[in-house]
Amino acid sequence: MLGTWPDGASADALFMLAGYGRANTLNVRSMIAPAAIGSTVAVMTRSTLLRRAALSLLLTGTAMPLGAQQAPALADKVAAVLATAPAGTRFGLFVVDEQGREIVAINPDQRFIPASNTKMFTTAAAFATLAGLDTSDPQGGTGVRLEPNGHAAPDVVLEGRGDARLSSAPDCKVDCLAVLADAVAAKTRVVGDVIGDDSWFPDQRWSPGMSWNNIPTRSGTGISALTLDDNELSATVTPGAFGLPPKVELPAYYTIENRAVTVAAGETRLGDDRDPYGYVVRLTGTIAAGAKPEQLRFGIDDPARYAAWRFREMLVARGVRVIGTIGVRHRPLLPADDPAIRKGAPAARPPAPDALARLSPPPLSEDLTIINKVSQNLHAELMLRRIGRVTGSGSIADGQAAVRAMLAQAGVPRAAFDFADGSGMSSYNRIAPRGTVTMLRWIATQPWGAAWRATLPVGGEGGLKRRYGGTALDHKVFAKTGTLNATNALSGYLIAKSGRTLTFSILANDVPDGTSALETMDKAILAVAAEN
């Protein structure tokens, strides 16, 4: 007959009878080991835990698996680490072992803004959807054609197909706009208008939910099927004489309103701004007289226009006379660009005119690595649209449909995610840690899983060099980073102390302004690795 265990009962005696107890506290589901009974776990008292442990065995006759004996100590450690984060920060964490057994779960099914963790979903969908990733990409190459216009000199039409790496740099070796300029110069010496055509995708230069203040920056530059030089312009700011504005070197596509001042000494603090669709950059702040030149980068709102402007410059440099103007051709977003409205029917596609010349970009696998390791927003957005054009029109909605189809195949619950873009710049995006881990484990089973994992940042390198270099996870964590306003994220794989591979996702939202959760998150992940 069961009785009431006195608070002073011997722990050893109780565990000889009852085995190991089980607890579920603060959404941290773990097994309670004897060594952890003396610790504080939520509001449970020591005696309450012991009584429940005895009841568990007497009623069920089961004991805790030996493999889980370390979990409660780990749960306490992780909870203690996360408690040191800036007040108000909300965390989600989910970690499983190679068999999918849960190690730590903190708010695993709550939804969080993922920031650049979104890129994992976009790049995984590319691996799952696109063929020939390891070969050159002629289907995505930029082309040029001469188009009759009723006058003696034909128009030049520069047509983009979503290539993210087209370059007009003087030292360009691969995927170079100069090759197309040479083709035109070899064909004719006089042309009319120079037109940038980005109608391969519908005109969705910014995704829903992206902050408008990002538009003038390189992080929020416009998205276009005709992309050139990462759709950004670079300016060099050199100190002038004391009290005078600094010297600014910038391509003539933009003009500078120079309100900056050269000061005698001190820290260089330059700022810039530009109105949406404007061509005047306002430069403010100070630069020290002896300072090194500063590099600034600005976003471009109409990439097709910029590409046509730059192409005109290259034609003129080759002796081609341009008697017309700069023009653009955009394709407006229509209801038919939504697969839900098409009801599964493929998108209508007009026949593509023949090109005078077309580039063959490097393999898309190289760009997928850039997207994840560098966290390149523009390239991720173009990849989402590229995925969306396999059966659709290249719209954001078509790309999202492909991502949803992949996640359904992976067994991720629909409530575990919502996406409004492909890069993570949108504050509308949401993921749950458990759903993310489900996808990561599914990826590991795919024929392309190892190739996808190789695109992730590595501890001790690149964006994770300062965070994990010199730690127990140096070159043992392979995970996508994520940072946005009030948001930090890290999801991927790690090799624990035992040599086992764990899959994890940790997200922090509502991080107070002026603070960061990165250090706290890294300490939590290191604690998990050390205990497994």
Side-chain angles (χ1 to χ4, degrees):
M1 182 175 66
L2 293 178
T4 301
W5 295 107
D7 287 350
S10 162
D12 291 338
L14 288 174
F15 275 97
M16 287 177 64
L17 174 64
Y20 302 121
R22 191 167 188 171
N24 184 342
T25 66
L26 296 175
N27 284 327
V28 182
R29 293 189 291 279
S30 305
M31 305 304 292
I32 303 300
I37 289 297
S39 62
T40 301
V41 182
V43 296
M44 289 187 180
T45 65
R46 181 172 179 272
S47 59
T48 301
L49 287 169
L50 294 172
R51 286 195 293 269
R52 292 190 179 184
L55 285 169
S56 174
L57 178 61
L58 291 174
L59 292 174
T60 67
T62 59
M64 185 187 75
L66 293 177
Q69 292 181 22
Q70 293 299 320
L74 173 60
D76 289 344
K77 287 182 180 179
V78 171
V81 169
L82 297 183
T84 67
T89 302
R90 181 170 65 92
F91 285 102
L93 171 63
F94 193 61
V95 187
V96 301
D97 66 11
E98 292 158 321
Q99 287 71 46
R101 292 177 300 204
E102 186 176 296
I103 294 174
V104 180
I106 299 175
N107 300 325
D109 299 310
Q110 288 189 20
R111 289 153 53 97
F112 295 81
I113 297 172
S116 285
N117 265 205
T118 302
K119 295 181 175 75
M120 295 191 304
F121 295 80
T122 302
T123 54
F127 273 96
T129 305
L130 301 177
L133 293 177
D134 292 326
T135 61
S136 61
D137 181 33
Q139 292 184 343
T142 304
V144 67
R145 66 180 183 271
L146 299 177
E147 188 172 88
N149 57 15
H151 300 90
D155 292 335
V156 177
V157 180
L158 188 66
E159 178 207 28
R161 292 190 174 183
D163 177 21
R165 293 161 290 175
L166 180 65
S167 172
S168 69
D171 59 350
C172 179
K173 303 297 183 185
V174 178
D175 210 11
C176 306
L177 186 61
V179 173
L180 301 181
D182 290 342
V184 173
K187 187 71 173 178
T188 182
R189 306 308 291 170
V190 182
V191 299
D193 295 342
V194 179
I195 300 168
D197 183 348
D198 67 359
S199 59
W200 194 253
F201 300 149
D203 189 5
Q204 293 178 287
R205 275 172 260 179
W206 298 282
S207 301
M210 191 189 83
S211 298
W212 65 268
N213 55 295
N214 284 313
I215 290 177
T217 73
R218 61 187 301 201
S219 295
T221 192
I223 314 301
S224 168
L226 181 52
T227 281
L228 177 66
D229 301 333
D230 284 334
N231 294 347
E232 60 183 56
L233 284 179
S234 177
T236 303
V237 183
T238 305
F242 171 69
L244 296 179
K247 178 184 177 182
V248 181
E249 297 177 54
L250 176 72
Y253 187 76
Y254 284 154
T255 59
I256 286 287
E257 184 180 300
N258 193 349
R259 300 182 182 181
V261 177
T262 305
V263 295
E267 184 179 354
T268 295
R269 293 185 177 180
L270 295 172
D272 60 84
D273 194 19
R274 180 179 55 81
D275 294 335
Y277 294 104
Y279 293 88
V280 178
V281 176
R282 291 179 292 277
L283 182 66
T284 58
T286 60
I287 184 169
K292 295 180 180 180
E294 289 280 319
Q295 290 293 128
L296 302 178
R297 289 182 170 85
F298 313 121
I300 296 173
D301 296 344
D302 193 345
R305 185 181 187 278
Y306 167 70
W309 176 85
R310 185 74 181 94
F311 198 57
R312 181 188 185 279
E313 281 195 330
M314 299 177 80
L315 291 176
V316 171
R318 286 160 173 76
V320 176
R321 188 158 64 97
V322 180
I323 60 176
T325 60
I326 300 297
V328 294
R329 289 179 186 169
H330 302 308
R331 175 160 63 91
L333 181 70
L334 298 174
D337 292 307
D338 187 341
I341 293 176
R342 295 198 308 270
K343 299 185 183 302
R349 296 180 183 174
D354 292 334
L356 172 66
R358 186 173 301 281
L359 298 175
S360 185
L364 282 175
S365 59
E366 297 178 13
D367 199 29
L368 291 165
T369 300
I370 292 172
I371 291 170
N372 279 338
K373 286 190 180 290
V374 181
S375 209
Q376 225 290 352
N377 294 323
L378 168 65
H379 293 212
E381 294 296 341
L382 289 170
M383 191 64 68
L384 180 71
R385 290 154 176 78
R386 182 69 181 269
I387 295 165
R389 198 175 158 90
V390 172
T391 59
S393 70
S395 66
I396 294 174
D398 277 315
Q400 290 169 342
V403 172
R404 286 196 300 270
M406 176 197 70
L407 292 175
Q409 185 180 356
V412 179
R414 182 60 188 86
F417 65 90
D418 273 304
F419 295 110
D421 71 1
S423 66
M425 288 294 288
S426 175
S427 60
Y428 294 171
N429 297 338
R430 295 293 185 278
I431 63 173
R434 190 196 304 273
T436 303
V437 167
T438 300
M439 180 192 73
L440 289 168
R441 283 179 48 74
W442 175 79
I443 289 173
T445 68
Q446 301 306 300
W448 45 266
W452 181 84
R453 174 170 158 165
T455 70
L456 297 176
V458 178
E461 298 179 4
L464 290 177
K465 183 174 184 178
R466 293 184 179 179
R467 293 176 61 180
Y468 288 101
T471 73
L473 287 178
D474 194 339
H475 287 85
K476 292 184 179 181
V477 60
F478 315 88
K480 184 69 196 79
T481 55
T483 299
L484 197 64
N485 293 344
T487 297
N488 297 118
L490 188 71
S491 300
Y493 313 95
L494 66 86
I495 300 174
K497 183 178 180 180
S498 65
R500 295 187 301 161
T501 297
L502 309 183
T503 308
F504 72 95
S505 177
I506 183 167
L507 299 114
N509 278 189
D510 303 325
V511 182
D513 186 37
T515 68
S516 171
L518 292 179
E519 183 178 356
T520 302
M521 292 165 56
D522 292 344
K523 287 180 179 178
I525 295 303
L526 285 165
V528 170
E531 296 287 331
N532 285 276

